[in-house]
């Protein structure tokens, strides 16, 4: 394998192919995300969106291709924990918080910093860490619930807690998987606002089905189809592309 | 039996044979009556005459005479063969072989013989079989002469060799002759060298022994020829031995397959860890036991069919209990595999103790029907009928199961529920019913396995425990959710076990296999034929 | 620092419980030593021995709970670690017999003389010294756990697959220890011990001391487990149990957490086994039987997984019932044990301790609903 190409892009995918028993979930996919950018990735079911996320976060190893983060790190050789430590966060479609832990402990677990098991045996939270926790609790407006176990939170509160955990993790790049699935219009609009807010200090890749939400984000769009890139541009540009129209409507 | 006596016997036999053509041998009745009259000298003549007659009844009559079981019934002067049955003797007419009532020994007159006559009878019976009309008798006579190698038998063997029509038996006689020649002191060197090549052609372990013995001959040529023949035979035998191990491995693999295949269904398609699976096997074995007891008590004539009759019953018993278990316990634990494991372990303890309470803690004997006993040779591979049937049965069960899964509505529903439970439910498949039936099917197959295992293992309350870990190993090794993986896994593990045994011993071999699987699961946590992709998650 | 570490995570309830365990260790011993045998307060040595056995089981249950209740690894092979610790102790005790064995051989234990051994196998070297045997009690189970865990956790073997592997491990060990050639006493195991640290094993004073040691061990284990569970490590550990892949995406190296707990727990089980052997006076391969490990899991389930008090209560309750039933109604015992497995998983997923908490919560709620 050749040394990863030096690039200014934050995330660089080139010629990535993943196959499951002969079925190509990703087929020679290439993608560039610049620092500070927010990118929406759309595509019909089975287009390879989730597999792409799995490849970037180290859950799935590609059969071929390069995945480079921050111009130097070859993600194909690292595992989930390494990649997370490098600064890639992932938000799942279903809010996953640690239900048996309190809100505060959830945030503490996500807080950037100490991860090694032998340090954590004796380490008490430092003052800086406690300050940061207070800050995040204020942002997500959950200070009153901080000692409540996460299992008792409402669905919306869990979403907020998870956003708080992402803030605590403070990743350089945030991957968000279908954030508005099953949400009302109002919630969808709020979520778009929150993502734009986060984008001020983090790069974000959003995978989404919902066109109105993508429109609300107002960012560059990449259309995936059958594991490779079909089109790229503003939402209006790609919507005008006859191939995209055919993929979504045709047959 | 001293050689000289055999020789006399043989010579007189040959004489008798020579005479047989010309002299009126008389009918069987006369020959038999002659046995019972006159002095010992006359009887000797009569014995040889009977042996030379070629009558099929000659052998049983002479054997009875030798064993002191030939009697004359004073009432009608009939010659009968007696068999002790309590205080009485069960009688068979010596001439016809038909039952002739019973009598107490006092009411009969035993045909007496002395030691000398006993020797004559032995020889006569031995040689008789060389010319027996029954090819199997001739074949076994040739084989025993091959092993006995008594030089005095040579003329009789040569006579039989010349008379033999069947090519296979002719070869057996030729081999017997070669074996005798190689052992004798008066054969020529050329004869012996020829004998070596004939014996080499036989190619079994007995031949190996004779060749090795001949390899220490003082004659350089014979020594060289025998050494070379032994060397090449050794290689052939090593191949056969490997083949024998493969067969043992396949046989063990079929047992593993039977035990594991039900588990492959419940674990593979439902994700249920059924630790009571072994007890389903055990219930199948006890069902066989009960069926056999009932048949022995009420319809002994059906004994040979008892195993076949037990099959559907064992399937039903284990299957119904499986459905009950699913409905009463397991359905509450879906999605909690570790809890299912504990609960079914509890069930296994209850079932074991229940069987122990009902049938007692000791082993119960399930007897083999006649068609499952005995063995035969394929080349140098020893195949017992019992094991052969179990292999056939395992493959049959496997094939039927595949058919059920692929071709029946139940199979279709099972696969649908396996792949996407909510979707299947939405399409109107009654998933609880499918779950219960799937579990019942897996358990029923375990019951079938129990019928087969009752033939080779002790039927005791602990029968199932011995198989549960092995069965899990097979399923996991083969790849969960893949029945062909289970088939291959069972065969591979069976063969591996049997190949390790000669080097490491049975227990250490098993340990090595376990360690291998533990390491294997680390490399490929989902088995040999794992499903890949997102569907697995 | 260590004391601070030990005390920081231990909450008030657990402190009381540890104090209770210590009292249960000390008071009966005093009553045994300082009251006359006829007195109503006298605790006979056989009772100490019996309860001492329960305390060892309780320590094993705690070890199982640490990996199962707190880390979600259902181990079905912990009795193997317990037995390995027991065998290390057994080897020491065998060597202490010296020439007092039936065959009077000063070096070789009886079973080796019987099996025609000419010299001591290499792995018996050093076991005549307690200073050698004592660390081995910890090291042998730990190394096995480390080896198994290292491979299994790195290749992400989880759930039932891991359970089956641990089960196969203890099964393989059982087969190995049943062999006479293994050099550890074959199916008879080791027994007829005479001395431990120079004191006669059968003497009442030694029994009292062993009982006290068992109680101290359990108290120490509770303290250690409490400290671990209460630390940030403990929070991460339960998070691994609840959502392993989420922890990976947060950047945690999950294997390290699992491996540490697994090895620690194996070491605990080994120590418990080592104290168990001199009290029951025998160690044999049936201790490796797969059923034993599963039974230990039941103790935890009965008491309440994921709590530290639960496994102790569960182990004592179930074993007390076992002692009673196998004596009084031997036919019933397996029905009861089997039924208990089913009942606990179906109706008491949080065990006795969970039931207690549930009842208390229920009472409080009714009190709030109906104010006086």
């Amino acid at each position: 394998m050749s040394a990863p190409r030096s690039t200014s892009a934050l995330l660089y995918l080139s010629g990535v192919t993943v196959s499951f028993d002969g079925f190509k979930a990703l087929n020679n996919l290439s993608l560039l995300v610049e620092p500070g950018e927010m990118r929406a990735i759309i595509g019909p079911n089975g287009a390879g969106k989730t597999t792409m996320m799995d490849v970037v976060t180290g859950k799935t190893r590609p059969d071929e291709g390069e995945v480079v983060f921050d111009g130097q790190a070859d993600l194909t050789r690292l595992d989930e924990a390494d990649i997370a430590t490098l600064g890639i966060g992932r938000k799942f479609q279903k809010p996953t918080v640690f239900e048996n832990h309190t809100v505060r402990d959830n945030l503490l677990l996500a807080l950037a910093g100490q991860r090694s098991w032998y340090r954590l045996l004796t380490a008490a939270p430092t003052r800086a860490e406690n300050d940061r926790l207070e800050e995040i609790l204020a942002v997500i407006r959950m200070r009153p619930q901080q000692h409540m176990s996460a299992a008792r939170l409402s669905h919306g509160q869990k979403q907020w807690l998870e956003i708080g955990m992402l803030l605590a993790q403070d990743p350089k790049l945030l991957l968000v998987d279908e954030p508005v699935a099953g949400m009302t219009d109002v919630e969808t609009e709020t979520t778009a606002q929150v993502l734009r807010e986060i984008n001020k200090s983090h790069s974000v890749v959003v995978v989404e089905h919902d066109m109105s939400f993508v429109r609300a984000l107002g960012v560059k769009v990449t259309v995936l189809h059958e594991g490779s890139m079909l089109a790229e541009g503003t939402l209006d540009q790609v919507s005008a592309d006859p191939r995209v129209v055919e993929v979504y409507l045709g047959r | 039996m001293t050689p000289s006596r055999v020789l006399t016997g043989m010579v007189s036999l040959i004489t008798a044979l020579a005479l047989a053509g010309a002299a009126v041998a008389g009918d069987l009745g006369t020959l038999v009556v002659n046995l019972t009259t006159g002095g010992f000298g006359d009887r000797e003549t009569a014995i040889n005459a009977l042996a030379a007659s070629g009558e099929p009844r000659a052998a049983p009559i002479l054997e009875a005479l030798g064993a002191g079981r030939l009697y004359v019934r004073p009432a009608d002067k009939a010659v009968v063969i007696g068999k002790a049955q309590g205080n009485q003797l069960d009688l068979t007419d010596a001439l016809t072989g038909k039952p002739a009532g019973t009598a107490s020994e006092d009411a009969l007159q035993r045909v007496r013989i002395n030691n000398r006559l006993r020797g004559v009878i032995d020889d006569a019976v031995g040689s008789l079989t060389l010319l027996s009309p029954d090819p199997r008798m001739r074949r076994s006579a040739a084989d025993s002469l091959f092993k006995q190698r008594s030089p005095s038998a040579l003329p009789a063997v040569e006579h039989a060799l010349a008379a033999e029509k069947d090519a296979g038996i002719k070869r057996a006689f030729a081999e017997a002759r070669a074996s005798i020649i190689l052992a004798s002191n008066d054969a020529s060197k050329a004869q012996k060298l020829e004998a070596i090549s004939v014996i080499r052609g036989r190619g079994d372990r007995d031949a190996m022994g004779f060749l090795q013995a001949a390899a220490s001959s003082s004659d350089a040529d014979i020594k060289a020829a025998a050494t070379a023949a032994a060397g090449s035979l050794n290689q052939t035998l090593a191949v056969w031995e490997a083949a024998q191990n493969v067969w043992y491995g396949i046989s063990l693999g079929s047992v593993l397959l039977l035990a594991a295949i039900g588990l492959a269904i419940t674990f593979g398609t439902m994700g249920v860890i059924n630790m009571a699976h072994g007890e389903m096997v055990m219930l199948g074995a006890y069902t066989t036991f009960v069926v056999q007891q009932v048949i022995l008590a009420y319809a002994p004539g059906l004994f040979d069919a008892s195993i076949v009759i037990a099959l559907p019953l064992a399937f039903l018993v284990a299957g119904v209990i499986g459905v009950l278990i699913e409905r009463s316990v397991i359905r509450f634990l879906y999605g909690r595999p570790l809890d299912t494991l504990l609960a079914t372990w509890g069930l296994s303890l209850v079932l074991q103790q229940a069987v122990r309470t009902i049938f007692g803690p000791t082993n119960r004997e399930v007897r083999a029907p006649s068609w499952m006993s005995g063995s035969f040779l394929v080349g140098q591979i020893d195949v017992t009928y019992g094991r052969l049937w179990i292999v056939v049965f395992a493959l049959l069960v496997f094939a039927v199961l595949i058919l059920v899964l692929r071709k029946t509505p139940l199979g279709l529903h099972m696969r649908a529920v396996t792949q996407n439970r909510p979707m299947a439910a939405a399409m109107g498949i009654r998933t609880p019913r499918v779950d219960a039936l799937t579990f019942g099917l897996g358990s029923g197959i375990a019951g079938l396995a129990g019928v087969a295992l009752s033939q080779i293992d002790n039927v005791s309350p602990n029968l199932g425990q011995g198989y549960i870990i092995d069965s899990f190993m097979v399923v996991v090794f083969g790849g969960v959710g893949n029945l062909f993986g289970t088939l291959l896994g069972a065969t591979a593990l069976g063969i591996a076990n049997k190949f390790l045994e000669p080097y490491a011993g049975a227990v250490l071999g098993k340990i090595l296999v376990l360690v291998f699987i533990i390491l294997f699961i680390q490399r490929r946590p989902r088995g040999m034929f794992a499903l890949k992709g997102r569907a697995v998650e | 620092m260590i004391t601070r570490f030990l005390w920081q995570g231990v909450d008030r309830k657990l402190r009381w419980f540890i104090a209770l365990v210590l009292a249960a260790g000390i008071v009966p011993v005093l009553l045994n030593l300082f009251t006359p045998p006829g007195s109503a307060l006298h605790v006979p040595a056989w009772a100490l021995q019996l309860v001492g056995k329960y305390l060892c089981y309780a320590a094993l249950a705690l070890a199982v709970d640490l990996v199962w209740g707190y880390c979600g690894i259902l181990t079905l092979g912990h009795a193997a670690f317990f037995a390995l610790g027991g065998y290390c102790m057994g080897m020491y005790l065998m060597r202490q017999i010296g020439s007092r064995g039936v065959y009077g051989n000063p070096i070789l234990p009886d079973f080796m003389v019987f099996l025609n051994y000419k010299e001591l196998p290499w792995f018996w070297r050093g076991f005549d010294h307690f200073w050698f045997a004592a660390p081995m009690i910890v090291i042998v189970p730990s190394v096995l756990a480390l080896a198994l865990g290292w491979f299994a956790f790195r290749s992400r073997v989880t759930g039932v697959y891991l359970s089956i592997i641990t089960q196969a491990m203890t099964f393989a060990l059982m087969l190995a220890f049943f062999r006479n050639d293994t050099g550890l006493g074959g199916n008879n195991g080791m027994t007829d011990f005479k001395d431990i640290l120079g004191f006669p094993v059968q003497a009442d004073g030694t029994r009292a001391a062993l009982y006290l040691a068992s109680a101290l061990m359990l108290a120490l284990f509770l303290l250690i487990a409490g400290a671990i569970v209460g630390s940030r490590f403990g929070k991460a550990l339960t998070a691994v149990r609840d959502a392993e892949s989420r922890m990976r995406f947060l950047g945690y190296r999950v294997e390290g957490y699992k491996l540490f707990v697994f090895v620690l727990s194996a070491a605990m089980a080994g120590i418990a086994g080592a104290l168990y052997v001199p009290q029951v006076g025998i160690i044999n391969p049936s201790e490796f039987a797969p059923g034993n490990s599963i039974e230990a899991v039941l103790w935890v389930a009965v008491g309440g997984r994921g709590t530290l008090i639960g496994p102790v209560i569960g182990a004592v309750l179930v074993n007390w019932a076992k002692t009673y039933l196998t004596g009084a109604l031997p036919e019933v015992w397996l029905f009861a044990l089997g039924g208990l497995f089913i009942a606990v998983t179906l109706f008491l997923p949080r065990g006795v301790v969970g039931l207690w908490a549930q009842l208390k919560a229920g009472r409080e709620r009714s009190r709030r609903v109906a104010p006086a």
Side-chain angles (χ1 to χ4, degrees):
Chain A
M1 196 183 277
S2 62
R5 202 170 312 169
S6 176
T7 160
S8 68
L10 183 66
L11 182 65
Y12 171 86
L13 273 72
S14 168
V16 175
T17 301
V18 174
S19 52
F20 298 127
D21 290 336
F23 164 72
K24 285 196 171 172
L26 290 183
N27 187 5
N28 199 18
L29 173 70
S30 300
L31 183 75
L32 275 177
V33 178
E34 297 298 332
E37 187 186 350
M38 167 138 65
R39 172 74 59 89
I41 295 185
I42 61 173
N45 270 333
K49 299 175 307 240
T50 304
T51 306
M52 184 216 77
M53 289 232 188
D54 286 346
V55 166
V56 173
T57 50
K59 191 171 169 216
T60 301
R61 294 230 179 281
D63 303 329
E64 282 171 48
E66 285 179 73
V67 185
V68 181
F69 180 65
D70 215 3
Q72 54 207 354
D74 179 0
L75 298 187
T76 60
R77 297 175 170 211
L78 302 174
D79 68 4
E80 295 101 315
D82 286 325
I83 291 170
T85 313
L86 280 174
I88 297 183
R90 179 168 183 180
K91 186 193 173 306
F92 289 87
Q93 184 178 339
K94 215 175 101 198
T96 42
V97 296
F98 302 111
E99 305 239 330
N100 289 314
H101 290 69
T102 62
V103 169
R104 195 183 174 91
D105 283 346
N106 265 285
L107 294 174
L108 183 64
L109 283 167
L111 205 59
Q114 205 47 261
R115 290 289 187 265
S116 92
W117 60 269
Y118 49 91
R119 296 258 168 73
L120 284 188
L121 268 174
T122 49
T126 62
R127 175 170 298 178
E129 283 175 325
N130 278 329
D131 291 349
R132 179 81 186 121
L133 286 185
E134 293 298 330
E135 224 174 279
I136 296 167
L137 281 169
V139 171
I140 61 174
R141 300 185 195 105
M142 291 185 82
R143 190 173 282 148
Q145 294 92 356
Q146 61 171 312
H147 295 300
M148 197 189 257
S149 96
R152 292 167 62 196
L153 298 178
S154 70
H155 182 79
Q157 283 175 316
K158 281 181 190 170
Q159 291 279 19
W160 280 105
L161 174 57
E162 198 170 20
I163 288 167
M165 288 168 75
L166 289 170
L167 289 175
Q169 199 185 347
D170 195 22
K172 289 181 192 162
L173 172 67
L174 181 54
L175 304 177
V176 186
D177 199 352
E178 305 199 15
V180 296
M183 279 192 181
T184 63
D185 287 353
V186 181
E187 284 170 337
T188 303
E189 179 51 39
T190 322
T191 308
Q193 265 175 26
V194 170
L195 282 178
R196 276 198 298 267
E197 189 66 30
I198 290 175
N199 183 227
K200 283 179 183 162
S201 47
H202 305 85
S203 308
V204 181
V205 172
V206 184
V207 163
E208 189 49 76
H209 265 322
D210 187 328
M211 283 303 178
S212 61
F213 174 71
V214 174
R215 188 171 298 283
L217 287 178
V219 296
K220 189 172 171 186
V221 173
T222 299
V223 185
L224 291 191
H225 176 57
E226 291 178 352
S228 25
M229 192 173 77
L230 189 67
E232 204 165 65
T234 65
L235 186 60
D236 291 331
Q237 283 168 346
V238 298
S239 313
D241 190 320
R243 288 176 306 170
V244 175
V245 173
E246 196 198 319
V247 163
Y248 267 89
L249 303 173
R251 208 57 55 122
Chain B
M1 200 190 291
T2 61
S4 71
R5 203 194 288 152
V6 176
L7 196 57
T8 359
M10 293 285 174
V11 169
S12 48
L13 175 61
I14 305 286
T15 330
L17 284 170
L19 290 172
V24 181
D27 63 322
L28 185 62
T30 325
L31 288 168
V32 173
V33 171
N34 285 345
L35 284 180
T36 65
T37 54
F40 287 135
D42 298 331
R43 290 191 187 175
E44 183 177 338
T45 322
I47 288 166
N48 285 330
L50 178 58
S53 69
E55 287 283 349
R57 293 290 306 156
I61 294 171
L62 286 176
E63 275 166 10
L65 180 60
R69 292 195 288 107
L70 196 69
Y71 300 91
V72 176
R73 185 156 57 193
D76 55 358
K77 297 280 175 210
V79 182
V80 292
I81 297 172
K83 193 177 160 210
Q85 185 76 42
N87 294 330
Q88 296 280 306
L89 291 173
D90 258 349
L91 301 182
T92 326
D93 189 299
L95 298 180
T96 58
K98 292 194 177 112
T102 57
S104 75
E105 184 152 20
D106 302 339
L108 298 170
Q109 222 179 326
R110 190 201 296 263
V111 181
R112 289 165 33 141
I113 50 171
N114 61 7
N115 268 343
R116 189 187 138 69
L117 274 186
R118 197 164 284 128
V120 172
I121 291 165
D122 280 352
D123 291 345
V125 170
S127 318
L128 187 64
T129 51
L130 282 180
L131 300 167
S132 159
D134 181 353
R136 271 186 301 180
M137 297 277 277
R138 300 206 299 278
R139 153 94 57 186
S140 78
D143 282 345
S144 78
L145 282 167
F146 177 85
K147 284 170 201 161
Q148 276 171 4
R149 320 181 80 182
S150 57
S152 55
L154 191 57
V157 172
E158 284 178 335
H159 179 81
L161 177 60
E164 186 58 56
K165 300 277 191 295
D166 181 293
I169 300 175
K170 208 177 173 80
R171 216 177 92 199
F173 280 133
E175 285 161 3
R177 176 173 172 268
S179 153
I180 296 169
I181 286 173
L182 190 59
S184 82
N185 296 323
D186 7 285
S188 72
K189 189 162 147 183
Q191 276 180 315
K192 286 200 174 191
L193 287 175
E194 195 205 329
I196 286 175
S197 88
V198 172
I199 294 175
R200 165 68 187 86
R202 183 182 169 99
D204 64 3
R205 282 173 197 83
D206 294 321
M208 186 71 197
F210 296 158
L211 290 174
Q212 276 166 342
S216 58
S217 160
S218 55
D219 186 302
D221 288 340
I222 292 176
K223 188 177 177 146
T227 313
S232 82
L233 180 53
N234 209 4
Q235 286 173 0
T236 319
L237 283 180
V239 173
W240 280 117
E241 193 157 334
Q244 176 83 62
N245 274 336
V246 170
W247 166 248
Y248 285 147
I250 289 174
S251 163
L252 176 63
S254 69
V255 171
L256 291 175
L257 177 66
L258 275 174
I261 194 164
L263 199 68
I265 294 182
T266 48
F267 185 34
T269 70
M270 303 172 75
V272 166
I273 310 294
N274 183 13
M275 293 298 269
H277 182 78
E279 276 58 44
M280 299 296 150
V281 175
M282 186 257 296
L283 287 176
Y286 271 95
T287 307
T288 318
F289 168 73
V290 171
V291 166
Q292 213 172 61
Q293 291 303 307
V294 170
I295 284 179
L296 281 176
Y298 298 106
L302 287 174
F303 175 76
D304 269 354
S306 60
I307 300 286
V308 180
I309 296 170
L311 281 175
L313 290 171
F315 183 86
L316 273 181
V317 168
V320 166
I321 292 184
V323 170
L324 287 179
I325 290 176
E326 199 278 339
R327 285 290 87 188
S328 62
V329 176
I330 290 174
R331 73 172 159 142
F332 301 107
L333 298 172
Y334 284 119
R336 288 158 61 191
L338 301 183
D339 286 330
T340 317
L341 196 158
L342 294 180
T344 50
W345 174 263
L347 274 169
S348 83
L349 295 182
V350 170
L351 288 172
Q352 274 176 42
Q353 186 60 37
V355 167
R356 199 173 287 127
T357 308
I358 298 170
F359 293 97
T362 48
N363 293 344
R364 292 302 182 153
E365 190 200 358
V366 174
R367 279 193 260 158
S370 61
W371 48 273
M372 280 185 84
S373 21
S375 67
F376 61 97
L377 278 176
V378 178
Q380 295 299 313
I381 306 175
D382 190 20
V383 178
T384 57
Y385 280 101
R387 291 286 182 161
L388 179 68
W389 279 115
I390 289 178
V391 172
V392 170
F393 179 63
L395 290 175
L396 209 64
V397 168
F398 182 81
V400 169
L401 189 61
I402 294 279
L403 276 181
V404 166
L405 289 183
R406 296 214 169 142
K407 303 281 181 202
T408 66
L410 173 65
L412 182 68
H413 289 180
M414 272 172 60
R415 280 179 292 141
V417 173
T418 305
Q419 279 167 25
N420 192 334
R421 178 172 293 267
M423 182 62 91
M427 288 173 68
I429 296 175
R430 283 190 283 165
T431 54
R433 195 166 151 267
V434 172
D435 287 335
L437 287 178
T438 309
F439 201 80
L441 179 65
S443 302
I445 290 171
L448 292 181
V451 178
L453 294 187
S454 72
Q455 291 297 310
I456 54 170
D457 205 338
N458 297 325
V459 178
S460 78
N462 301 327
L463 170 76
Q465 286 213 305
Y467 290 97
I468 187 72
I469 291 182
D470 283 340
S471 309
F472 270 114
M473 291 295 142
V474 166
V475 175
V476 172
F477 180 60
V480 174
N482 185 326
L483 283 182
F484 281 98
T486 308
L487 174 67
L488 276 176
T491 317
L493 290 184
I495 292 177
N497 240 324
K498 287 298 171 189
F499 267 88
L500 282 172
E501 261 179 28
Y503 306 106
V507 176
L508 202 55
K510 198 169 167 61
I511 295 171
L512 288 174
V513 169
L514 281 177
V515 171
F516 163 74
I517 297 176
I518 290 176
L519 292 176
F520 178 85
I521 294 178
Q522 325 267 3
R523 292 296 305 165
R524 305 202 55 177
R526 297 192 186 275
M528 279 194 293
F529 303 98
L531 302 167
K532 266 170 83 182
R534 282 164 60 189
V536 176
E537 300 289 312
Chain C
M1 198 195 94
I2 288 177
T3 43
R4 219 206 77 194
F5 161 68
L6 285 181
W7 216 237
Q8 70 179 6
V10 182
D11 62 17
R12 211 159 53 97
K13 211 164 44 170
L14 188 59
R15 280 180 208 183
W16 276 111
F17 192 69
I18 291 173
L20 190 72
V21 168
L22 285 175
I26 295 165
V27 174
V29 168
L30 293 178
L31 290 177
N32 171 254
L33 294 180
F34 298 110
T35 56
S39 144
L41 289 174
H42 183 73
V43 175
W46 64 262
L48 288 185
Q49 189 190 2
L50 188 66
V51 181
K53 198 172 83 172
Y54 295 167
L55 292 177
C56 293
Y57 286 145
L60 173 61
L62 187 61
V64 170
D65 184 42
L66 212 46
V67 284
W68 183 38
Y70 287 94
C71 196
I73 303 168
L74 176 54
T75 159
L76 296 183
H78 249 56
F81 302 127
F82 184 81
L84 283 174
Y87 262 95
C88 288
M89 179 59 103
M91 286 162 85
Y92 163 72
L93 295 173
M94 277 318 255
R95 295 300 313 274
Q96 295 306 299
I97 296 173
S99 54
R100 284 170 290 173
V102 176
Y103 295 106
N105 189 313
I107 306 286
L108 296 183
D110 277 349
F111 73 85
M112 288 195 197
V113 180
F114 183 72
L115 293 171
N116 283 325
Y117 275 70
K118 293 286 167 271
E119 57 178 10
L120 214 53
W122 61 268
F123 51 85
W124 277 77
R125 298 270 159 77
F127 274 98
D128 46 340
H129 305 294
F130 189 75
W131 60 260
F132 182 85
M136 280 299 158
I137 286 164
V138 177
I139 291 171
V140 172
S142 304
V143 167
L144 178 65
L146 187 69
L148 188 79
W150 172 265
F151 288 115
F153 300 144
R154 261 167 43 108
S155 30
R156 302 194 182 173
V157 180
T158 53
V160 294
Y161 293 92
L162 197 71
S163 303
I164 293 170
I165 285 189
T166 53
Q167 178 94 121
M169 173 199 76
T170 188
F171 186 60
L173 281 172
M174 180 180 78
L175 292 178
F177 275 69
F178 262 121
R179 281 161 41 94
N180 281 334
D181 296 346
T182 308
L184 290 165
N187 55 353
N188 294 322
M190 304 176 193
T191 185
D192 286 336
F193 307 131
K194 307 277 192 237
D195 292 345
I196 179 165
L197 293 168
F199 299 100
V201 172
Q202 300 289 338
D204 284 0
T206 318
R207 289 198 172 167
L210 285 168
Y211 173 79
L212 184 60
S214 306
L216 289 177
M217 163 189 71
L218 184 57
L220 180 69
F221 286 0
L222 281 168
L223 205 57
I224 294 175
I228 287 174
V229 169
S231 70
R232 280 179 79 178
F233 177 95
K235 287 174 181 158
L237 195 65
T238 38
V240 167
R241 173 194 69 191
D242 294 341
E244 178 170 336
S245 71
R246 185 79 176 90
M247 280 298 272
R248 287 186 199 278
F249 288 123
L250 281 178
Y252 285 87
R253 207 157 275 295
V254 169
E255 304 82 54
Y257 288 81
K258 290 182 167 182
L259 199 55
F260 173 74
V261 175
F262 195 60
V263 172
L264 177 78
S265 156
M268 283 182 169
I271 296 171
L275 272 173
Y276 170 82
V277 167
Q279 299 192 67
V280 297
I282 185 169
I283 175 81
N284 65 35
S286 63
E287 295 293 335
F288 287 101
N292 284 18
S293 295
I294 302 183
E295 223 174 294
V297 171
L298 177 73
W299 307 335
V300 178
V302 167
R305 66 186 86 160
T307 69
L308 293 174
I309 300 172
V312 175
I313 292 175
V316 173
L317 274 184
V318 175
N319 281 296
W320 175 77
K322 183 178 189 171
T323 308
Y324 174 74
L325 281 180
T326 48
L329 302 158
E331 288 272 291
V332 173
W333 166 240
L334 277 184
F335 285 126
L337 185 66
L340 197 56
F341 268 106
I342 302 165
V344 165
T345 43
L346 284 183
F347 307 117
L348 269 186
R350 292 171 60 210
V352 174
V353 171
L355 184 71
W356 175 256
Q358 243 168 311
L359 289 178
K360 219 168 67 178
R363 209 175 326 127
E364 265 166 29
R365 205 176 307 132
S366 61
R367 207 179 297 155
R368 241 178 294 142
V369 169

